[in-house]
Amino acid sequence: MDAVIVKDLSYQYWPEGPQVLKNISFQAARGEMLVITGLSGCGKSTLCYCLSGIAGHRRDAVMQGQVLVNGKDVRGLRAASLALEAGMVFQDPDTQLFSPSVEDEIAFGPENLCLPPDEIRARVDQVLDLLDISSLIKANPYHLSGGEKHLVALAAVLALDPPVLILDEVMSRLDRHGVMRVTEVLQTLRNAGKTIIAVEHRLETVTFADRLMVMEKGALLRWGTTKNILADQEFLAAQHLLD
Amino acid sequence: MSFLKLSQVNFRYPKQEKLTLDNINLEIDQEQVTAVIGPNGSGKTTLSKVIIGVLPATGGQILLQGSKVEEYSLAQIGRRIGYVFQNPDLQLFCGTVAEEIGFGLINQGYEADRVKERVDFYLEYFHLAEYRQAFPLHLSQGEKQRVAIASVLATEPEFMILDEPTVGLDAYRKKILAAYLQKIARSGRGMILISHDMIFVNRLADRIIQMEKGCIVGDSDGKGDNDHDT
């Protein structure tokens, strides 16, 4: 069974509002990485909110169609249950960080799963090491640079070990070392069976992804293997997606 | 006389042992595009906030047009240096996109017709016309970034500091922004550009300052195929 199934998904933030997503359908298998791209405002982040279940719980919103994560309809799950199915890293890490130290931030999720202290400690150390940010352990997340904040937000999500990861431009603020580190980590996680759905503008950073989706004005314009779409330079240029 | 002159500038965040800026000596010309690059956490954003007086330097001296920066009020600095924050959410506060872009102009005493003319131009140029009446914080990140940049550009400051202006922007809008910044740089209004995006930096920068661990470790000419480790 596919880890993520989206069927005829349409979305409006309020009943008379514009249709931000229009009849989108796709699937993502276990151990697959899928990248979403498209011009600013085409609905990429809204699609992420729908996949993570946040959009479906928004009051006044009109969500049509279906989003299944690990076979469960995201609208039928409470936020705490959703976090175990799909972890999302937001485009703006400031909206996600709230603890007084990096260590506390990362431990927050595992603590709320009521894991034993040793297991919590192990998970915190593991993700700090994985993302090469152990030196930040005692720092206040609000004092970090934009790129460091994004790594901490990613670490906090990884510590929950969800089977599906939704990453909204997580590499946009990273330096070269950070980009290389995160791309290595994503490949490792994918090989370990995680499903990864990532929004990205800089396509050269995600050539390793299995499939690429191009969105335009709320609709799915094209999707296929990353190799095939990246090879179609004429199409990418026509969509203004090349640097 | 340099537009900005930093001499032995240090900065330490409260309760931190380490200096975030360590003995920064730097002169910046008003007409040049000076890129500041370096790894995450190297002090780029802190440097820019110290320059505009939002964060007071722990030590050393900063001269803005020959006078100590602490002798200016934040409003006086704001009239000389337009600042685009890394996170547009920190910058946007008006009820509509048009009001946001016109806010600085109205506060500088521009006539209503002139305000409208400029707001219309920037809405059109940055592909924001359809969002004229939209609430800025309801826009996508890339759109918010364009509104924040347009709001600063609209007041035509003598100098600008742009902190990661390409974050959230698609390739198309990056080119449009680069073209506009090139145009204003050619007219003699320079800027400090903080970015990890070396394609964008190489398109624009006359000079590249490289930072690492709070120090300046490189200072070279720009407008080339630089491949600095950022």
Side-chain angles (χ1 to χ4, degrees):
Chain A
M1 185 181 64
D2 286 313
V4 175
I5 300 172
V6 177
K7 282 184 200 163
D8 304 322
L9 175 66
S10 295
Y11 192 82
Q12 293 161 277
Y13 278 96
W14 62 94
E16 289 80 33
Q19 212 167 29
V20 184
L21 297 177
K22 297 169 189 167
N23 210 26
I24 288 185
S25 298
F26 69 92
Q27 307 87 37
R30 287 206 172 85
E32 185 176 37
M33 176 160 170
L34 197 156
V35 167
I36 306 169
T37 196
L39 297 184
S40 308
C42 70
K44 304 181 296 295
S45 293
T46 303
L47 178 56
C48 289
Y49 298 146
C50 287
L51 298 175
S52 67
I54 298 166
H57 287 76
R58 191 186 156 97
R59 207 170 52 172
D60 296 337
V62 182
M63 183 171 165
Q64 291 171 317
Q66 204 174 30
V67 178
L68 301 174
V69 175
N70 299 318
K72 296 163 192 161
D73 190 322
V74 293
R75 276 177 294 187
L77 293 177
R78 293 172 57 205
S81 311
L82 273 167
L84 297 179
E85 303 294 341
M88 178 166 169
V89 180
F90 290 76
Q91 194 172 25
D92 177 2
D94 282 328
T95 58
Q96 196 152 359
L97 304 173
F98 58 95
S99 298
S101 76
V102 167
E103 187 177 30
D104 291 345
E105 188 72 49
I106 299 170
F108 181 83
E111 279 171 357
N112 279 273
L113 296 180
C114 299
L115 296 176
D118 288 353
E119 170 71 11
I120 295 170
R121 180 79 263 155
R123 285 199 187 192
V124 170
D125 290 343
Q126 189 190 2
V127 294
L128 284 169
D129 187 48
L130 192 65
L131 294 170
D132 199 14
I133 52 171
S134 298
S135 61
L136 305 178
I137 188 165
K138 298 293 178 195
N140 181 329
Y142 285 101
H143 290 168
L144 300 179
S145 75
E148 289 169 336
K149 283 181 190 173
H150 241 153
L151 289 174
V152 173
L154 176 60
V157 168
L158 292 182
L160 279 165
D161 198 25
V164 175
L165 291 166
I166 299 157
L167 312 175
D168 194 356
E169 290 202 50
V170 75
M171 291 191 276
S172 62
R173 293 175 165 87
L174 299 187
D175 57 31
R176 187 182 299 182
H177 173 73
V179 169
M180 284 168 61
R181 191 73 187 172
V182 170
T183 53
E184 274 172 27
V185 167
L186 294 183
Q187 290 177 76
T188 306
L189 291 169
R190 176 182 61 178
N191 295 341
K194 302 283 186 198
T195 303
I196 302 165
I197 297 178
V199 171
E200 189 56 58
H201 285 301
R202 291 185 299 173
L203 300 180
E204 71 276 9
T205 60
V206 284
T207 51
F208 63 92
D210 300 293
R211 283 187 296 156
L212 191 60
M213 283 174 49
V214 180
M215 289 182 67
E216 185 187 48
K217 295 178 182 166
L220 187 50
L221 180 66
R222 184 168 166 185
W223 72 311
T225 63
T226 308
K227 194 176 165 191
N228 281 348
I229 293 186
L230 291 184
D232 192 348
Q233 294 283 299
E234 207 175 309
F235 166 75
L236 294 173
Q239 294 304 313
H240 304 290
L241 298 175
L242 294 179
D243 248 324
Chain B
M1 182 181 66
S2 305
F3 182 70
L4 281 163
K5 185 174 181 187
L6 284 74
S7 310
Q8 298 175 322
V9 170
N10 291 333
F11 181 81
R12 180 185 278 115
Y13 280 101
K15 298 179 188 169
Q16 298 283 311
E17 278 176 34
K18 264 191 341 191
L19 286 170
T20 305
L21 296 178
D22 189 356
N23 195 28
I24 302 287
N25 293 288
L26 184 63
E27 291 192 39
I28 303 275
D29 288 337
Q30 188 171 356
E31 294 81 18
Q32 275 198 324
V33 177
T34 305
V36 179
I37 63 170
N40 291 132
S42 57
K44 305 180 296 294
T45 298
T46 303
L47 174 65
S48 67
K49 288 181 177 171
V50 166
I51 287 174
I52 60 164
V54 170
L55 297 175
T58 316
Q61 188 183 59
I62 301 169
L63 299 179
L64 169 60
Q65 294 180 317
S67 301
K68 288 180 186 171
V69 77
E70 58 268 27
E71 290 172 2
Y72 295 92
S73 67
L74 284 179
Q76 286 170 325
I77 296 170
R79 277 195 286 277
R80 288 165 175 80
I81 303 176
Y83 191 97
V84 178
F85 284 85
Q86 191 175 123
N87 186 347
D89 286 346
L90 300 176
Q91 193 154 347
L92 306 174
F93 60 96
C94 289
T96 70
V97 168
E99 284 170 10
E100 192 73 55
I101 297 174
F103 181 84
L105 297 168
I106 291 167
N107 278 275
Q108 288 186 4
Y110 281 83
E111 297 287 333
D113 286 355
R114 185 86 177 107
V115 173
K116 185 177 180 312
E117 188 187 315
R118 282 214 205 170
V119 169
D120 288 349
F121 170 78
Y122 285 100
L123 285 171
E124 203 62 48
Y125 191 85
F126 286 106
H127 300 172
L128 293 165
E130 65 179 299
Y131 304 119
R132 171 185 283 274
Q133 295 305 325
F135 181 52
L137 295 177
H138 282 173
L139 300 179
S140 78
Q141 199 70 13
E143 289 159 351
K144 282 191 260 191
Q145 185 73 311
R146 273 142 56 201
V147 175
I149 292 168
S151 308
V152 171
L153 290 175
T155 60
E156 297 187 350
E158 306 165 40
F159 191 80
M160 284 192 304
I161 298 178
L162 299 108
D163 192 359
E164 297 279 10
T166 62
V167 167
L169 293 192
D170 54 60
Y172 182 40
R173 271 59 180 252
K174 266 197 258 182
K175 285 180 192 160
I176 287 171
L177 175 63
Y180 195 81
L181 295 179
Q182 272 166 340
K183 191 176 114 183
I184 61 173
R186 277 198 298 269
S187 74
R189 291 190 288 138
M191 64 199 78
I192 291 174
L193 177 64
I194 298 169
S195 186
H196 291 296
D197 187 336
M198 288 310 293
I199 295 173
F200 194 76
V201 165
N202 286 331
R203 263 186 205 142
L204 284 165
D206 300 304
R207 178 183 176 196
I208 298 179
I209 305 286
Q210 190 164 12
M211 292 188 70
E212 216 172 287
K213 295 180 181 168
C215 300
I216 291 175
V217 294
D219 189 344
S220 57
D221 287 340
K223 295 260 172 68
D225 218 2
N226 293 293
D227 190 29
H228 295 79
D229 183 13
T230 62

